[in-house]
Amino acid sequence: MSIRLETDSLQDSESELRCHHMPCEIDFNGEAKVDEYFVSSIREDKETDDNSPSLTSSFRGRPLNGTKVNLPQGYIGLVMKETIKDEDERREFQIRGKFSNFTNWNLDLTPSSSDNINKALDWIDVANLVISKPI
């Protein structure tokens, strides 16, 4: 299996994307009118434990609670599109944009540090500590 990432497209993506981590699986790949139908309904509520604003919205009639999550310093997130996937297990991806933060959404619960996505991001700090200190 070979995987190729077309890094030239990173230079073309100057602007930061607004990304959302949703608590659901959507069986669709393609363009969507997110700004018109979702972002326009986001409301800023009280502040959370870490002084970031708590957000509320809804998706397909279900209430959502969200908060903005920053990526660790020195890291960027990439949004990629698969451009080639063939029988020889060759895959190629093109970078469509980048982001330094995203909004984490939960159903029925206020996002917190115990959410799986936040726990996964904490492991970046742990890994950096492990590799920086010789045994």
Side-chain angles (χ1 to χ4, degrees):
M1 171 185 270
S2 74
I3 298 175
R4 181 175 179 270
L5 178 59
E6 185 183 309
T7 56
D8 295 339
S9 53
L10 181 60
Q11 309 306 328
D12 299 336
S13 59
E14 292 294 322
S15 62
E16 285 263 321
L17 297 178
R18 187 178 342 168
C19 295
H20 300 272
H21 181 256
M22 303 290 285
C24 59
E25 185 174 319
I26 302 169
D27 191 21
F28 175 74
N29 288 319
E31 299 280 327
K33 296 180 180 178
V34 176
D35 284 336
E36 185 177 339
Y37 293 108
F38 181 68
V39 173
S40 63
S41 71
I42 297 173
R43 293 175 307 283
E44 199 170 297
D45 292 334
K46 61 190 181 304
E47 290 187 353
T48 60
D49 295 338
D50 63 355
N51 296 324
S52 62
S54 175
L55 306 170
T56 58
S57 189
S58 66
F59 182 72
R60 295 184 177 171
R62 302 283 307 268
L64 296 173
N65 298 300
T67 190
K68 192 160 287 220
V69 176
N70 293 313
L71 296 180
Q73 190 169 351
Y75 288 83
I76 60 169
L78 299 175
V79 175
M80 299 181 288
K81 180 179 182 176
E82 190 165 20
T83 55
I84 295 176
K85 184 176 183 181
D86 60 26
E87 295 82 31
D88 297 331
E89 295 186 22
R90 185 174 70 109
R91 300 175 79 181
E92 191 168 302
F93 294 87
Q94 180 183 40
I95 298 171
R96 305 293 271 179
K98 58 187 174 184
F99 60 95
S100 59
N101 60 56
F102 60 92
T103 305
N104 182 39
W105 294 100
N106 281 341
L107 287 170
D108 307 327
L109 297 172
T110 302
S112 70
S113 59
S114 63
D115 289 344
N116 287 339
I117 192 74
N118 290 324
K119 288 179 184 178
L121 290 172
D122 286 343
W123 274 102
I124 293 172
D125 294 333
V126 172
N128 286 334
L129 285 172
V130 169
I131 63 171
S132 68
K133 305 222 181 209
I135 296 176

XYZ file of all heavy atoms in Angstrom, residues 44-55 66-67 110-111:
118
model
N -24.046 31.769 21.591
C -23.033 31.794 22.645
C -23.734 31.975 23.984
O -24.518 32.897 24.170
C -22.063 32.947 22.390
C -20.767 32.805 23.109
C -19.748 33.827 22.650
O -19.368 33.798 21.469
O -19.353 34.657 23.501
N -23.475 31.058 24.914
C -24.106 31.096 26.228
C -23.076 31.420 27.292
O -22.102 32.112 27.035
C -24.787 29.753 26.531
C -25.998 29.510 25.638
O -26.589 30.491 25.164
O -26.352 28.335 25.427
N -23.255 30.854 28.443
C -22.364 31.092 29.591
C -20.955 30.590 29.305
O -20.720 29.854 28.365
C -22.927 30.397 30.817
C -23.035 28.882 30.625
C -23.809 28.251 31.752
C -23.900 26.754 31.583
N -24.448 26.253 30.353
N -20.012 30.996 30.164
C -18.636 30.537 30.029
C -18.466 29.186 30.702
O -19.139 28.881 31.685
C -17.670 31.553 30.643
C -17.584 32.831 29.849
C -16.507 33.759 30.353
O -15.907 33.480 31.402
O -16.270 34.770 29.691
N -17.542 28.382 30.182
C -17.263 27.059 30.747
C -16.193 27.179 31.829
O -15.732 28.270 32.144
C -16.783 26.100 29.641
O -15.595 26.631 29.055
C -17.847 25.922 28.574
N -15.772 26.045 32.364
C -14.768 26.016 33.437
C -13.458 26.671 33.028
O -12.766 27.261 33.845
C -14.491 24.577 33.871
C -15.718 23.944 34.510
O -16.597 24.688 34.983
O -15.787 22.699 34.518
N -13.084 26.551 31.740
C -11.813 27.136 31.286
C -11.999 28.525 30.676
O -11.185 28.993 29.906
C -11.106 26.197 30.302
C -11.912 25.968 29.038
O -13.063 26.453 28.956
O -11.384 25.313 28.126
N -13.092 29.200 31.030
C -13.405 30.566 30.603
C -13.655 30.721 29.104
O -13.636 31.824 28.586
C -12.312 31.552 31.038
C -12.226 31.650 32.543
O -13.253 31.583 33.229
N -11.032 31.783 33.062
N -13.873 29.613 28.396
C -14.242 29.720 26.985
C -15.763 29.720 26.905
O -16.440 29.136 27.749
C -13.645 28.569 26.171
O -14.154 27.342 26.616
N -16.325 30.394 25.896
C -17.784 30.464 25.837
C -18.408 29.097 25.527
O -17.869 28.313 24.758
C -18.048 31.448 24.708
C -16.797 31.496 23.916
C -15.684 31.130 24.833
N -19.522 28.834 26.172
C -20.291 27.624 25.894
C -21.211 27.947 24.719
O -21.813 29.008 24.658
C -21.104 27.255 27.130
O -21.938 26.161 26.862
N -21.306 27.029 23.778
C -22.098 27.245 22.577
C -23.270 26.274 22.553
O -23.168 25.153 23.057
C -21.234 27.044 21.331
C -19.951 27.865 21.266
C -19.068 27.396 20.118
C -20.267 29.331 21.116
N -21.612 22.911 22.752
C -20.259 22.912 22.197
C -19.328 23.883 22.874
O -19.740 24.768 23.622
N -18.058 23.704 22.579
C -17.014 24.627 23.018
C -15.861 24.565 22.022
O -15.664 23.550 21.358
C -16.526 24.293 24.445
O -15.687 25.339 24.910
C -15.765 22.997 24.501
N -22.506 19.106 28.354
C -21.570 20.190 28.087
C -20.202 19.582 27.833
O -19.759 18.715 28.590
C -21.495 21.141 29.298
O -22.802 21.649 29.553
C -20.553 22.297 29.033
N -19.511 19.980 26.761
C -18.165 19.446 26.508
C -17.244 19.714 27.700
O -17.340 20.749 28.354
C -17.709 20.213 25.274
C -18.971 20.601 24.586
C -19.952 20.888 25.701
